Amino acid sequence: VHASGEGRTSTHSAAMEFVRELGRHKRFIAAVTAVAMAAGVVYSLTLPTLYTATTRILTPQQAPSAAALMMSQLANSGAGALAATAGAGLGLHSPNDLYIGLLQSQPVADAILEKYGLADIYKAKYPSVARAKLAEYTQITSEKSGFIAIAVTDRDPKRAAAMANMYTGQLLALSKSLAVTEASQRRLFYEDQLKHAKDDLVAAQFAFQQIQRKKGLVQLDAQ
């Protein structure tokens, strides 16, 4: 019991000594704290103000076979980088994965970089660095509601909003050149069939002209 009492007294003495030590250096501690706070305020004031604009799009729902057909088109068109980027869509956890892959593709990024001169704004000497910067300031996510949210951060609020909307326009332009939905697949099929029908008609007309020259058939109705 006597040893325990000595331990408590020693601890109490050490605490009091620490408090007295702080008191002796209170001016120095206060000065360091004030300098740190002032430095933090100055640093926060020097940081650029960033604005984030968000747009949401609802994409058409499609079967996995439609996605596979689109990826085949990408590969056959020679768009290797684009196919590789959008290729995650074939592991489709949701129908939006394919569209997110297209939104994150190089053609879309290059169009936005060129439109707003972002290479100069980002001070990027190489296109790959500019694309990486744009990807850093862009968040594309699939929401539970089924929408795709595109959030773009920039120093200029108007430019941030315009860039977010341009992602939507670029996705529309890109999807028009590919059979993304079943409706567009049918359209491409009918356009292909129409082209073949026109080619066959031209061939038939040419063959008929040849028969006219050989047989003397000039006025079909009269003869």
Side-chain angles (χ1 to χ4, degrees):
V1 176
H2 179 69
S4 176
E6 286 182 351
R8 287 197 295 271
T9 301
S10 177
T11 302
H12 179 71
S13 299
M16 292 300 296
E17 181 63 26
F18 178 73
V19 172
R20 284 194 292 270
E21 190 69 20
L22 289 178
R24 284 194 293 268
H25 297 86
K26 61 182 180 181
R27 292 184 178 179
F28 174 75
I29 295 173
V32 171
T33 303
V35 170
M37 292 180 61
V41 171
V42 171
Y43 177 73
S44 63
L45 293 175
T46 59
L47 290 175
T49 302
L50 299 177
Y51 302 90
T52 300
T54 303
T55 185
R56 289 176 172 83
I57 58 176
L58 181 61
T59 60
Q61 303 300 301
Q62 60 182 352
S65 59
L69 177 59
M70 180 182 174
M71 294 308 303
S72 176
Q73 293 179 60
L74 286 171
N76 294 334
S77 66
L82 177 57
T85 304
L90 289 181
L92 292 173
H93 299 291
S94 73
N96 286 352
D97 288 347
L98 180 62
Y99 293 95
I100 292 177
L102 292 175
L103 286 166
Q104 295 174 338
S105 64
Q106 181 176 327
V108 173
D110 287 346
I112 295 174
L113 290 170
E114 182 180 357
K115 172 73 174 179
Y116 298 101
L118 296 181
D120 294 333
I121 295 174
Y122 296 153
K123 298 180 180 179
K125 295 182 179 180
Y126 304 102
S128 58
V129 176
R131 293 188 200 104
K133 277 290 185 181
L134 177 61
E136 180 182 343
Y137 291 125
T138 304
Q139 297 293 328
I140 303 175
T141 56
S142 178
E143 299 180 336
K144 293 182 179 180
S145 59
F147 286 87
I148 291 179
I150 306 169
V152 180
T153 301
D154 194 84
R155 296 182 182 182
D156 186 340
K158 292 183 179 180
R159 186 168 59 212
M163 288 166 61
N165 290 328
M166 188 172 178
Y167 269 100
T168 304
Q170 287 299 308
L171 177 62
L172 178 61
L174 188 59
S175 61
K176 280 184 177 181
S177 64
L178 302 168
V180 178
T181 64
E182 294 182 4
S184 60
Q185 293 171 28
R186 289 194 296 270
R187 175 180 58 81
L188 290 179
F189 173 77
Y190 292 139
E191 288 179 353
D192 184 64
Q193 293 300 308
L194 179 61
K195 179 179 180 301
H196 286 305
K198 289 181 177 179
D199 292 341
D200 292 341
L201 179 60
V202 171
Q205 290 175 337
F206 179 76
F208 183 67
Q209 290 174 355
Q210 296 299 316
I211 294 175
Q212 283 182 322
R213 294 192 183 96
K214 292 180 180 178
K215 304 296 185 179
L217 185 63
V218 178
Q219 295 181 350
L220 181 61
D221 294 339
Q223 298 186 13

